[in-house]
Amino acid sequence: MKFKVTSSDDNKLIKALGRSAADELRREIDITVEEHTRSMADGASDNAPVLTGALRDSIPRSVDKVEDMVWLFGSEMPYAQRQEYEHRSHSAYFRRAIWAGETPLKKALIATVDRSVGR
């Protein structure tokens, strides 16, 4: 089970800022998305049900860059999805971490763009 955290690329931005500035902005956004993806993974790990600790420990290690501004996290444990969606506890440990991280990520992205374009 994997969750994707991404920020989309806008060709209008490249035209408005120029290639060099747009590339720098893309790097800054990628760093911001990575930081917040790792934070969401840590939150999911903190919220995960613990019997042996294997599920909890698998989540932070799972953060992986797919491409610029696209990061994944999740767990390869065979029961991760069942614990998230089907277990009687309805723990929603991944979803709660994503919901909690969504607004801070949006605010951080806005701040990153504002800094980069000199607002």
Side-chain angles (χ1 to χ4, degrees):
M1 181 170 69
K2 294 281 185 178
F3 293 88
K4 183 177 182 180
V5 181
T6 183
S7 178
S8 62
D9 192 7
D10 186 353
N11 287 329
K12 290 179 185 177
L13 184 63
I14 293 170
K15 288 179 184 175
L17 295 177
R19 174 62 63 189
S20 178
D23 287 346
E24 179 60 28
L25 177 56
R26 186 178 293 111
R27 282 189 290 279
E28 293 297 321
I29 289 173
D30 188 52
I31 291 168
T32 300
V33 173
E34 176 188 10
E35 290 171 354
H36 285 267
T37 301
R38 290 188 187 284
S39 178
M40 288 179 205
D42 288 343
S45 176
D46 291 345
N47 294 331
V50 178
L51 182 61
T52 65
L55 175 60
R56 178 194 59 214
D57 294 343
S58 72
I59 299 168
R61 293 190 309 261
S62 72
V63 177
D64 190 35
K65 183 175 183 172
V66 176
E67 60 186 79
D68 283 346
M69 301 183 299
V70 179
W71 291 80
L72 294 176
F73 75 99
S75 175
E76 296 298 327
M77 301 304 292
Y79 50 88
Q81 184 172 340
R82 186 169 192 78
Q83 285 289 338
E84 174 73 12
Y85 295 105
E86 300 170 18
H87 191 267
R88 70 178 181 271
S89 67
H90 301 287
S91 61
Y93 57 101
F94 277 109
R95 289 173 289 162
R96 287 189 294 142
I98 292 168
W99 296 330
E102 184 177 13
T103 298
L105 173 58
K106 287 179 183 178
K107 288 180 180 180
L109 288 170
I110 290 168
T112 298
V113 171
D114 285 349
R115 272 192 318 273
S116 293
V117 296
R119 286 190 188 175

